[in-house]
Amino acid sequence: MADQIIMTQKNYDDLKKELDYLVKVKRPEIIERISEARSHGDLSENAEYDAAREEQRTNEGKISEIEYKLKNADIRAEVTDKSYVHLDSKVTVYDREMEEETTYTVTSVTDVDVMNNKISVESPVGAALLRKKVGDVVTIHCPDGSEYEMEIRAIQ
């Protein structure tokens, strides 16, 4: 059985739009560039052809990835309750060991952006925070076997 990918309806709809663009717009553009590059003759030293083929491989990879995510989507209703952590919650936590406060947004795997503190519900931190409340202390189980604790200070 394939892994279910947790997402909201909005995440699902955004992926459908992206897939539609990649298949109906970008794919034909790339095919046209490949055809144009082929018309220039010798393909062994044709950088334009090589670049278009590489772009085609990348685009097809993205299409496959999105199709997989859509096929295995586990769509969750958007929750507005701020009394506990759920998908799309903004959570402020205090790391006692590091003595610092950080705010994370718990998102689906399709919206992860580590640089902006958007973490997946499937990540160690995201999974530990789910369904917890302000004041709860959660234990984060790291892939390397180590653990640390965080206190939930606010949920937005």
Side-chain angles (χ1 to χ4, degrees):
M1 181 175 152
D3 293 328
Q4 292 294 297
I5 299 171
I6 298 169
M7 63 181 73
T8 63
Q9 185 64 48
K10 181 187 178 314
N11 299 137
Y12 186 86
D13 294 343
D14 289 347
L15 283 174
K16 290 278 284 184
K17 280 184 203 169
E18 184 178 359
L19 179 63
D20 194 52
Y21 169 77
L22 293 174
V23 170
K24 294 180 179 175
V25 177
K26 192 156 185 172
R27 182 185 274 165
E29 287 175 357
I30 294 169
I31 291 170
E32 179 61 33
R33 281 202 298 281
I34 290 171
S35 178
E36 176 67 27
R38 275 190 180 137
S39 70
H40 295 142
D42 185 11
L43 298 180
S44 64
E45 294 182 21
N46 189 331
E48 186 180 334
Y49 175 78
D50 291 340
R53 291 288 293 170
E54 181 59 34
E55 187 177 3
Q56 183 181 42
R57 280 188 288 278
T58 301
N59 191 60
E60 294 304 316
K62 284 181 185 177
I63 289 170
S64 294
E65 180 183 343
I66 292 171
E67 287 174 338
Y68 176 83
K69 287 176 180 178
L70 292 173
K71 179 180 160 199
N72 295 294
D74 179 3
I75 299 172
R76 303 280 172 97
E78 294 187 40
V79 181
T80 57
D81 187 349
K82 294 182 181 6
S83 67
Y84 68 98
V85 179
H86 50 78
L87 189 62
D88 289 335
S89 288
K90 199 173 229 179
V91 186
T92 302
V93 295
Y94 179 73
D95 184 328
R96 294 174 174 171
E97 189 176 311
M98 300 296 285
E99 296 182 354
E100 64 184 23
E101 199 171 83
T102 308
T103 300
Y104 295 107
T105 301
V106 180
T107 67
S108 74
V109 295
T110 62
D111 281 345
V112 170
D113 183 355
V114 180
M115 299 303 290
N116 290 306
N117 286 346
K118 290 184 173 187
I119 60 171
S120 165
V121 294
E122 297 175 14
S123 69
V125 174
L129 292 172
L130 277 182
R131 294 176 289 287
K132 301 296 190 278
K133 299 180 179 199
V134 172
D136 287 352
V137 174
V138 297
T139 302
I140 313 303
H141 302 280
C142 301
D144 67 2
S146 64
E147 296 179 343
Y148 63 97
E149 291 184 341
M150 293 179 156
E151 177 187 346
I152 299 175
R153 295 239 167 128
I155 302 170
Q156 303 170 6

